[in-house]
């Protein structure tokens, strides 16, 4: 029943911006922390950003100052604003729900972000 659907991935030039969205359903969204992960080919999936139920945020060092995670509980949605994009940001980006221990327990299908000139 839990469903997470990402959208907004695209091909962008270095230095460009992109906003990813994640639409959640099948659970009480406001009760859960959420996160964005990414996975590049042949690399480990890594945490990009997380947001708590009350809006607290944390970021990977590699994206700090460039990316912003946010949530809109009225819309059951999580967003990732990505600015000053670099080629190394190229990856499939996944939305996840986080359990009590802040570990992911559900995943979306992913959306491709490609940063290239």
């Amino acid at each position: 029943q839990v469903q997470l659907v990402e959208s907004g991935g695209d091909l962008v030039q270095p230095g460009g911006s992109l906003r990813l969205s994640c639409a959640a359903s099948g659970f009480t969204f406001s009760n859960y922390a959420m996160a964005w992960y990414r996975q590049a080919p042949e690399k480990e999936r890594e945490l990009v950003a997380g947001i708590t139920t009350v809006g607290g945020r944390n970021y990977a060092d590699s994206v700090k100052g460039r990316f912003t995670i946010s949530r809109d509980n009225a819309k059951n949605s999580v967003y990732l604003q990505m600015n000053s994009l670099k080629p190394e940001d190229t990856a499939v980006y996944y939305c996840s729900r986080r359990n009590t221990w802040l570990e992911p327990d559900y995943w979306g299908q992913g959306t491709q972000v490609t940063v290239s000139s």
Side-chain angles (χ1 to χ4, degrees), residues 2-7 20-27 29 34 36 75-79 95 108-109:
V2 173
Q3 189 172 30
L4 303 170
V5 180
E6 302 97 332
S7 62
L20 306 183
S21 298
C22 172
S25 61
F27 63 99
F29 180 76
M34 302 292 292
W36 287 95
K75 295 182 178 180
N76 285 3
S77 294
V78 184
Y79 308 97
C95 176
Q109 83 287 353

Side-chain angles (χ1 to χ4, degrees), residues 46-57:
E46 64 174 346
L47 177 66
V48 175
I51 187 165
T52 71
T53 57
V54 294
R57 299 169 171 88

